[in-house]
Structures are given as structure tokens and as C-alpha cells.
Amino acid sequence: MPACLINTARDMPDNNVTIRLTDEMTEALDSFRKEQQGRPSRPDAIRRILTDYFISTGKIPFEDDEDG
């Protein structure tokens, strides 16, 4: 698992972004959260989704925390 997925908001600098979601997107987000280990908060789930996207598109590097 990428190390950046383990971090929570308390580990990050204060870079706030406010977004509005449709009901459909909120339901999808909550469904995603239920599938995740430890049931992350909505902000943590959004960070996970964005991290996965950015890694898959090469915008940020994949960091495997099991290597050290």
C-alpha cells in the first residue's frame, strides 16, 4: 500500500479544499468508504481516491511503505 494512503489529515499541512458533491457522488463515496478497511472518514476517502488516481496517471510516484 502506498505510504501516502496511510497518512491522515493530522499528518498533513493545512491545505484545505472545499467541494460540493451531488447526492449520487455522496452515495458513491459512502459506498467506497464501506468497502475500505477501517471505514475512513469522507475526507480520508477522498484523499485515497485522489491518491489512487494521481498514482495511476503518473502525477505522483508510487511509494511502497513495505520496503522501509
Side-chain angles (χ1 to χ4, degrees):
M1 175 180 284
C4 53
L5 290 184
I6 298 170
N7 294 335
T8 61
R10 67 181 168 272
D11 301 323
M12 297 180 188
D14 189 17
N15 295 319
N16 291 324
V17 175
T18 301
I19 62 170
R20 294 179 189 259
L21 301 176
T22 63
D23 289 341
E24 181 179 36
M25 291 178 75
T26 302
E27 289 172 13
L29 179 62
D30 288 341
S31 176
F32 172 84
R33 291 173 57 220
K34 290 176 187 175
E35 298 168 357
Q36 301 301 300
Q37 183 177 1
R39 189 158 183 197
S41 64
R42 284 179 175 164
D44 283 337
I46 291 168
R47 280 188 284 276
R48 289 183 188 191
I49 293 166
L50 286 173
T51 298
D52 287 347
Y53 172 79
F54 291 143
I55 288 171
S56 72
T57 60
K59 302 291 184 198
I60 61 174
F62 175 80
E63 296 178 19
D64 190 350
D65 66 342
E66 293 178 16
D67 290 340

